[in-house]
Amino acid sequence: MTHQPNPAQTSPTTETRFQRGQLALAQIDGEGGQKVVDALADIAPDFARYLIEFPFGDIYTRPGLSVRDREIATIAALTAMGTATAQLKVHIAAGLNVGLTRDEIVEILMQMAVYAGFPAALNGLFAAQDVFAEQTQAA
């Protein structure tokens, strides 16, 4: 099993949180993450900056876990919340982007039935089904 390096581990230390965050966002979420940032431009541009700086510039770029492992945790957490379907879809796509397979994502979601309940797992599986279908159509 290969682990993708965290962007901070390959970036110069002179980069700002924002620059590290932009790099990480592009590598992890690709277009999906940028669409979220762009959607905030009119209503809350400062929040868009915080979204880049804190989760991606500070947390995703920390050493200790690969971005693949971080996406496993994120998919599980968003599924367990049960209230973040849009964000879950972005992170399912990101999981695929950083090396998770469809089967691994389904297993993560099924695991959530034990700890978050069947409704949360079902909603997660339906979100994954949508993301998988979108990616199949795009291919």
Side-chain angles (χ1 to χ4, degrees):
M1 180 180 313
T2 60
H3 292 286
Q4 288 189 323
N6 287 343
Q9 295 170 330
T10 59
S11 300
T13 57
T14 58
E15 286 184 322
T16 66
R17 296 169 70 210
F18 186 76
Q19 290 168 327
R20 281 193 319 269
Q22 284 183 308
L23 176 63
L25 181 69
Q27 290 178 340
I28 296 164
D29 284 341
E31 289 180 23
Q34 190 58 49
K35 285 180 184 177
V36 172
V37 170
D38 292 345
L40 291 168
D42 289 339
I43 189 167
D46 289 345
F47 193 80
R49 185 173 188 89
Y50 303 149
L51 181 66
I52 291 170
E53 289 177 341
F54 179 62
F56 291 94
D58 292 340
I59 302 299
Y60 267 91
T61 58
R62 290 177 53 81
L65 289 175
S66 69
V67 292
R68 184 182 189 282
D69 294 339
R70 290 182 190 281
E71 282 304 321
I72 290 170
T74 303
I75 291 167
L78 291 170
T79 301
M81 286 176 65
T83 59
T85 302
Q87 294 81 9
L88 177 58
K89 287 180 178 183
V90 169
H91 283 281
I92 288 170
L96 292 168
N97 192 44
V98 299
L100 291 171
T101 66
R102 289 180 177 197
D103 289 341
E104 288 172 322
I105 290 169
V106 167
E107 287 299 322
I108 294 163
L109 298 169
M110 289 175 61
Q111 179 74 19
M112 291 302 95
V114 177
Y115 296 97
F118 274 80
L122 282 168
N123 290 340
L125 287 164
F126 290 135
Q129 186 178 41
D130 290 347
V131 172
F132 298 164
E134 289 170 11
Q135 290 201 343
T136 298
Q137 288 176 347

